[in-house]
Amino acid sequence: MIGLSIMGPFLTAGRYVHGLPCIEKIVASVDETPEAISTNISGTIPEWINGNFLRNGPGKFEIGNNKFNHWFDGMALLHQFKIAGGQVTYKSRFLGSDCYTANSENSRIVVSEFGTVAMPDPCKNFFQRFLSRFELPKASDNDNVSFVTYKGDYYVSTETNFMHKVDPETLETKEKVDWSKFIAVNGATAHPHTDPDGTTYNMGNSYSAKGAIYNIIRVPPTRTMPENPEETLEGATVVCSIPSVDKARPSYYHSFAMSENYVVFIEQPIKMDLLKIVTGKLRGKGISDGIYWDPKLETIFHLINKQTGKLNSVKYHAKALSTFHQINAWEEDGFLVMDLCAADDGKAINNYIVQNMRKSGEALDEVYNTMCRVFPRRFVLPLNVDKETPCGQNLNIRPDSTATATKTAKDKVFCTHEDLHDEELHTYGGLEFPQINYAKYNTKPYRYFYGCGFRHLVGDTLIKMDLQGKKMKVWEHPGLYPSEPVFVPLPGATEEDDGVIMSVVITPKKDKSTFLLVLDAKTFKELGRAEVPVNIPYVSGLHQYVFQLPNL
């Protein structure tokens, strides 16, 4: 075999791996820890780190005798690592959502999730159970994807129209909030972007007789009535609406890109068959059954002006790709530069069923080897394309980029990407869950980003990428599975990577030994660990953190 090398606990030769360790405990249900407990510190947690590190993800995978089918379906468990004076405490609570309450009270799965269909109430007679299969699916409020902030308040979110406001100190659920009560959308992503002034942008779909519509959402930075602490999404507006190319089969999107003046919506060939989705309960199938990959389609980048809401008439096309997370985007010298993590197919979303996560041996290897790797890429979109722009020539004149952008027809530019890595990243299985120094460098030129390497179904390394020379630093330990790396800047920092990286590291082979890891972001050397004496599930498959600073 060519290029065979030993990497951690298994072997790899090109794309194929053999001997992956079983990680079934990563999707094992755990109990909540609502009262703060101490952690065991090894090394040093810098004393300047002062705040709450908040995480979110699935924490319960069975209700009574019913089991969830998909990793994304598990009941939301909220986590808090409180860091002060070099010490760390931990607590967790299950989100008090309607579906969690109903499931618990009935000791069975009552509300359908992404990959799991709720079965009819066994207490009903046959005719009632039969009729219940014809009911339209109801949106779940199981907000297990992310922590987000709007107007300074903390919410947990998923991709339906429901969010929950939570208390970041106690993790108690405060209020259920419905996007559709404020604007005409049927859901919103769990990955909003925020401008320096606090204005927040998001995206959400709406559906009508005319078909599916993608909507750009703007939420003001402060309360419309400052004296009203109960205010939530008042003042939210739809900035722009974009018709789906295929009105009955819109694209699935998990997030979007944003520069200083533009929102970039990526219409990718991961499609949602709306007929299959609305008839899923009748057929006994979850939402995931209606999501599919169509490699015959191109990917389209839509640019929307944030100030005017105007959709750019020029459409930027690329070959079929899938992207769940973007790294950064900015405007420079008449170009919009967009960095993202992308793969050449979009089938992975349906591979993360719980059954696959609990496999071992050759069966586990086969699941991993059928998945396409994700790598960081750069697209360069020329902003000044008009009728005078010549066709057939590369419009990207930036000397530091090998990406291309060629006008092929009126209002159409075809783009190819530049790889933001060298061959070394292939030996780490690609990179996902990218993070940057967001507060200072989002929508601006930047040098560093951080992510997880994927030599397993979940991240098994932490990686720092330096775009100057495309060099990388790696933190890895066999048998340890770190979650999404989070950059926290050093107060008064003068350089982009002055700060620390934090990640929750899971140890599926060792009981009650999950720990919060702190790395020096500049050197990528380990500074300290805070080991938690309870079991914690992997919190980066559905992810997102908020690092909450204390009130000064």
Side-chain angles (χ1 to χ4, degrees):
M1 287 186 276
I2 299 174
L4 180 68
S5 62
I6 296 180
M7 304 215 305
F10 54 90
L11 299 177
T12 179
R15 171 177 175 175
Y16 295 95
V17 301
H18 308 277
L20 287 174
C22 180
I23 56 170
E24 62 178 343
K25 288 187 178 180
I26 277 179
V27 287
S29 296
V30 300
D31 295 324
E32 64 181 4
T33 308
E35 301 299 326
I37 58 174
S38 298
T39 63
N40 180 35
I41 305 295
S42 59
T44 301
I45 307 297
E47 293 198 4
W48 61 263
I49 305 177
N50 188 20
N52 292 332
F53 185 46
L54 306 175
R55 304 292 307 205
N56 187 5
K60 191 175 184 65
F61 298 92
E62 304 89 18
I63 306 291
N65 294 323
N66 295 172
K67 296 180 180 180
F68 289 111
N69 295 327
H70 201 286
W71 189 15
F72 298 176
D73 298 343
M75 293 287 95
L77 181 63
L78 316 184
H79 309 262
Q80 179 209 77
F81 294 86
K82 181 179 283 292
I83 309 170
Q87 298 298 309
V88 181
T89 61
Y90 170 80
K91 70 170 60 171
S92 65
R93 282 184 187 272
F94 282 107
L95 177 68
S97 61
D98 290 349
C99 64
Y100 178 77
T101 301
N103 289 344
S104 300
E105 290 177 349
N106 290 276
S107 296
R108 65 182 182 88
I109 298 172
V110 176
V111 180
S112 296
E113 299 289 347
F114 176 75
T116 305
V117 179
M119 290 296 101
D121 186 347
C123 295
K124 292 182 178 180
N125 62 41
F126 172 81
F127 186 64
Q128 289 172 322
R129 293 199 301 271
F130 175 74
L131 287 180
S132 70
R133 289 189 174 274
F134 292 87
E135 297 171 354
L136 288 176
K138 297 178 181 178
S140 170
D141 66 341
N142 180 31
D143 294 319
N144 63 3
V145 177
S146 65
F147 268 96
V148 296
T149 58
Y150 292 98
K151 304 180 186 179
D153 291 322
Y154 290 79
Y155 296 83
V156 288
S157 178
T158 181
E159 296 182 340
T160 69
N161 52 306
F162 296 119
M163 296 192 301
H164 286 87
K165 185 186 286 189
V166 297
D167 185 325
E169 289 295 331
T170 66
L171 299 183
E172 292 176 337
T173 304
K174 308 301 287 186
E175 181 181 0
K176 181 177 175 178
V177 179
D178 184 348
W179 278 99
S180 67
K181 302 296 185 184
F182 300 92
I183 50 177
V185 297
N186 296 94
T189 82
H191 285 284
H193 276 292
T194 304
D195 273 342
D197 70 351
T199 301
T200 305
Y201 291 84
N202 206 336
M203 286 195 62
N205 283 5
S206 57
Y207 306 99
S208 69
K210 296 181 179 180
I213 303 290
Y214 312 113
N215 300 287
I216 312 299
I217 303 164
R218 179 165 55 213
V219 180
T222 57
R223 297 187 182 105
T224 56
M225 298 179 65
E227 70 281 2
N228 181 14
E230 303 303 316
E231 182 173 308
T232 57
L233 297 175
E234 284 82 353
T237 56
V238 171
V239 175
C240 178
S241 296
I242 307 165
S244 170
V245 171
D246 185 336
K247 300 190 185 311
R249 296 178 177 84
S251 291
Y252 169 80
Y253 55 93
H254 183 68
S255 58
F256 59 96
M258 187 179 84
S259 67
E260 181 180 2
N261 294 297
Y262 295 94
V263 166
V264 185
F265 166 53
I266 303 169
E267 193 168 13
Q268 60 186 349
I270 302 178
K271 308 298 285 184
M272 299 189 297
D273 187 322
L274 297 183
L275 181 60
K276 275 192 171 184
I277 290 173
V278 299
T279 60
K281 191 171 184 179
L282 175 64
R283 298 180 297 108
K285 299 289 185 179
I287 295 171
S288 58
D289 182 64
I291 296 180
Y292 66 99
W293 168 249
D294 188 346
K296 301 185 297 298
L297 300 176
E298 292 183 344
T299 302
I300 305 174
F301 305 133
H302 300 271
L303 270 59
I304 301 94
N305 187 294
K306 289 158 61 178
Q307 282 70 45
T308 66
K310 184 178 179 182
L311 176 64
N312 195 329
S313 61
V314 177
K315 307 300 178 194
Y316 302 86
H317 290 240
K319 70 175 186 178
L321 63 82
S322 67
T323 177
F324 287 83
H325 303 105
Q326 293 71 53
I327 306 170
N328 200 2
W330 72 95
E331 301 149 45
E332 190 174 31
D333 300 328
F335 295 91
L336 190 150
V337 183
M338 177 174 61
D339 295 347
L340 47 78
C341 290
D344 290 328
D345 78 32
K347 301 175 184 176
I349 192 171
N350 285 325
N351 284 335
Y352 283 98
I353 59 174
V354 173
Q355 181 182 354
N356 283 347
M357 305 287 289
R358 291 174 174 165
K359 286 181 177 178
S360 61
E362 292 183 0
L364 177 60
D365 294 344
E366 183 179 358
V367 173
Y368 178 81
N369 288 326
T370 58
M371 295 172 63
C372 194
R373 305 292 170 260
V374 178
F375 289 95
R377 298 174 178 177
R378 171 169 294 173
F379 288 90
V380 179
L381 313 182
L383 294 173
N384 302 313
V385 177
D386 57 27
K387 63 181 180 180
E388 304 300 327
T389 303
C391 291
Q393 67 183 51
N394 183 15
L395 303 177
N396 178 18
I397 58 175
R398 293 172 60 89
D400 61 343
S401 175
T402 58
T404 68
T406 305
K407 182 180 176 183
T408 58
K410 180 185 178 183
D411 291 337
K412 181 178 179 180
V413 174
F414 190 84
C415 303
T416 66
H417 68 269
E418 170 191 358
D419 288 329
L420 295 181
H421 62 92
D422 61 17
E423 283 300 310
E424 184 180 10
L425 187 57
H426 286 268
T427 66
Y428 290 93
L431 181 147
E432 248 290 15
F433 300 132
Q435 290 287 334
I436 63 171
N437 183 343
Y438 190 94
K440 287 194 69 174
Y441 288 90
N442 189 50
T443 75
K444 299 179 177 66
Y446 72 113
R447 178 175 173 179
Y448 304 107
F449 65 93
Y450 312 88
C452 288
F454 270 76
R455 298 179 306 189
H456 208 303
L457 295 182
V458 298
D460 71 331
T461 59
L462 293 174
I463 296 173
K464 176 184 181 180
M465 294 294 299
D466 183 349
L467 291 174
Q468 289 190 9
K470 299 179 181 177
K471 297 171 290 185
M472 54 189 279
K473 290 185 170 78
V474 179
W475 180 92
E476 61 177 323
H477 284 274
L480 302 184
Y481 298 88
S483 67
E484 177 181 34
V486 175
F487 179 84
V488 179
L490 177 73
T494 57
E495 296 187 14
E496 183 180 343
D497 58 349
D498 280 344
V500 298
I501 290 294
M502 296 197 298
S503 173
V504 180
V505 181
I506 307 300
T507 57
K509 293 295 185 182
K510 189 177 179 183
D511 194 47
K512 298 181 180 179
S513 58
T514 296
F515 59 90
L516 175 65
L517 172 70
V518 181
L519 304 178
D520 183 315
K522 189 175 291 291
T523 65
F524 232 50
K525 300 295 185 183
E526 183 172 330
L527 297 175
R529 302 180 179 188
E531 188 171 297
V532 182
V534 296
N535 288 322
I536 301 176
Y538 192 73
V539 293
S540 193
L542 308 185
H543 50 132
Q544 198 79 354
Y545 74 98
V546 166
F547 188 74
Q548 179 207 17
L549 296 172
N551 293 325
L552 302 177

